[in-house]
Amino acid sequence: MRIFSGVQPTGRKHIGNYIGAFEQYVAGQALGEAIYCVVDLHATTVAYDPATLRRDLYDLVAVLLAAGIEPERSILFRQSDVAEHTELQWLLMSATAYGELTRMTQFKDKSAQQEFISAGIFAYPVLMAADILLYQTGQVPVGDDQRQHLELTRDVAQRFNSRFGETFVVPEGTYPEVGARIMDLQNPERKMSTTGGSPQGTVYVTDDPEVIRRKFRGAVTDSGREIRHGADKPGVSNLLEILAAVRRSSIAALEQEFEGSGYGDLKLAVGEAVAAHLAPVRERYALLRADEQGLEQTLAAGAQRARAIASETMRAVRAAMGVGPAGPDER
Ligand code: TYM
């Protein structure tokens, strides 16, 4: 079974990415052939600075390796190193409806923040579908905010298969049981995010342990005193989700443990648990990040392996669509 996921090299990665996605990536390595892609082409669809993009990309690759992605076991590569991604994106555009893309909530949210709305940001979900379908992916570990993109990918694959013949595996999204949508600590009605989040409410993977504890101490909680998970308690629910994810325990067990405790106790406990959880990651990160050449070598080796799979899929796609010369068995 093949597992594929992608992550944008923009800004610093936070515990939403870590809990929602990266921990699933690491676990995925034991379940099948895992392929992880740093999607730099996606990052060019909004206003950005080229030098910062490259720096952020190395930061991200070092975080992924520090989190436990093993490049000998999995394929870790940079999207722009494998040209098949953009070729497949173009071909899939014809199997994607304009109306579908206009309904994407991430397109609506992200384009509202831009002065210049690029055609790239509109076509973004098609590049994401290409990323996934290129590798005949069975499972896509992602956070909750990618659900709609995953559904679109499935629809495009099914439409392509019925129009041109069985070509793509139709992938399934997989979402973590707890922590699929980590919220901003200062504004628990909004997801934690690289763009548009509050600085004190966003906990970065490479934050100093003391900074992590401080951000949790300052987390916004709710009215009342009871520590329980529920729609009327977004702040407390978010803290419980984070603690359940890092301790690998259930929300119910935590509700029992914290019965009678105050919000302050919960905030301290979560801050401590997250700081301890991320401390070794931060140490490994510092070592890995210092060796950019080593990171490039890892990416180059990953790209070579990715290309071998991607080019095979593209042969089938071109043949199915009648693009390029006929293959030996079609003449
Ligand atoms: P990106 O780079 O925004 O986020 C990477 C992963 O982190 C998850 N995530 C979260 N999970 C829980 N709580 C949060 N607050 C939170 N914020 C982010 C995301 O769900 C994601 O899994 N379009 C994708 C990148 C992409 C991709 C792909 C993903 C491109 N091609 C192919 C899967 C397969 C994105 O922008 O993720």
Side-chain angles (χ1 to χ4, degrees):
M1 205 251 308
R2 208 170 263 152
I3 295 165
F4 179 97
S5 200
V7 46
Q8 291 203 68
T10 33
R12 294 177 67 194
K13 296 297 130 182
H14 50 73
I15 58 166
N17 302 122
Y18 195 86
I19 293 171
F22 303 170
E23 298 215 287
Q24 289 197 82
Y25 300 174
V26 175
Q29 300 182 115
L31 303 176
E33 183 184 5
I35 308 179
Y36 302 119
C37 180
V38 177
V39 296
D40 57 343
L41 299 174
H42 276 109
T44 65
T45 58
V46 292
Y48 77 101
D49 168 53
T52 309
L53 174 60
R54 193 154 288 127
R55 232 183 9 251
D56 284 353
L57 185 132
Y58 290 134
D59 290 353
L60 171 58
V61 174
V63 166
L64 290 172
L65 294 170
I69 304 294
E70 298 169 42
E72 313 77 36
R73 253 172 117 192
S74 319
I75 300 179
L76 176 63
F77 75 106
R78 171 170 49 207
Q79 189 183 34
S80 61
D81 286 341
V82 180
E84 281 83 352
H85 287 249
T86 43
E87 183 186 358
L88 183 57
Q89 178 193 18
W90 179 257
L91 294 172
L92 291 180
M93 294 271 240
S94 309
T96 310
Y98 170 81
E100 280 174 320
L101 294 179
T102 60
R103 286 193 291 276
M104 292 291 118
T105 58
Q106 288 223 335
F107 165 67
K108 290 188 221 169
D109 293 349
K110 284 197 179 173
S111 57
Q113 295 166 24
Q114 298 293 314
E115 207 173 298
F116 175 77
I117 302 174
S118 70
I121 194 153
F122 185 64
Y124 178 117
V126 192
L127 181 57
M128 179 163 161
D131 296 340
I132 297 168
L133 300 181
L134 202 44
Y135 298 94
Q136 305 293 3
T137 302
Q139 284 189 1
V140 187
V142 278
D144 195 54
D145 61 350
Q146 298 300 317
R147 251 175 222 279
Q148 201 187 20
H149 288 158
L150 246 299
E151 283 310 310
L152 176 76
T153 301
R154 290 170 53 83
D155 290 344
V156 168
Q158 275 156 350
R159 192 175 297 131
F160 188 103
N161 286 348
S162 58
R163 165 78 178 82
F164 297 110
E166 285 300 314
T167 308
F168 294 119
V169 170
V170 180
E172 304 265 352
T174 62
Y175 308 90
E177 255 168 59
V178 287
R181 180 176 285 264
I182 301 292
M183 310 307 271
D184 190 297
L185 300 187
Q186 289 298 317
N187 186 358
E189 312 274 356
R190 287 192 56 153
K191 72 169 182 184
M192 194 175 283
S193 122
T194 327
T195 46
S198 70
Q200 286 313 310
T202 311
V203 179
Y204 298 107
V205 177
T206 55
D207 266 346
D208 183 276
E210 193 38 50
V211 172
I212 295 179
R213 289 189 202 100
R214 194 186 65 226
K215 285 179 178 173
F216 278 101
R217 274 201 306 274
V220 166
T221 40
D222 314 294
S223 57
R225 318 172 48 107
E226 217 188 330
I227 295 185
R228 99 181 125 70
H229 195 279
D232 56 330
K233 288 191 174 278
V236 170
S237 300
N238 190 37
L239 292 171
L240 287 171
E241 291 249 346
I242 294 170
L243 190 56
V246 300
R247 279 218 204 143
R248 300 191 197 294
S249 61
S250 71
I251 303 268
L254 293 177
E255 285 174 337
Q256 231 173 23
E257 179 182 333
F258 283 92
E259 208 185 320
S261 306
Y263 289 163
D265 301 321
L266 176 64
K267 290 198 267 188
L268 274 183
V270 188
E272 203 46 63
V274 173
H277 193 65
L278 292 178
V281 180
R282 186 168 184 261
E283 276 172 36
R284 287 194 293 272
Y285 168 82
L287 290 175
L288 289 156
R289 183 63 182 87
D291 180 15
E292 278 186 11
Q293 234 181 333
L295 298 175
E296 271 302 339
Q297 278 164 5
T298 300
L299 291 174
Q304 203 173 0
R305 291 162 65 201
R307 225 174 275 126
I309 303 170
S311 60
E312 202 178 308
T313 304
M314 284 317 298
R315 258 197 302 279
V317 172
R318 290 193 203 103
M321 292 185 80
V323 168
D329 45 342
E330 295 168 81
R331 266 179 256 171

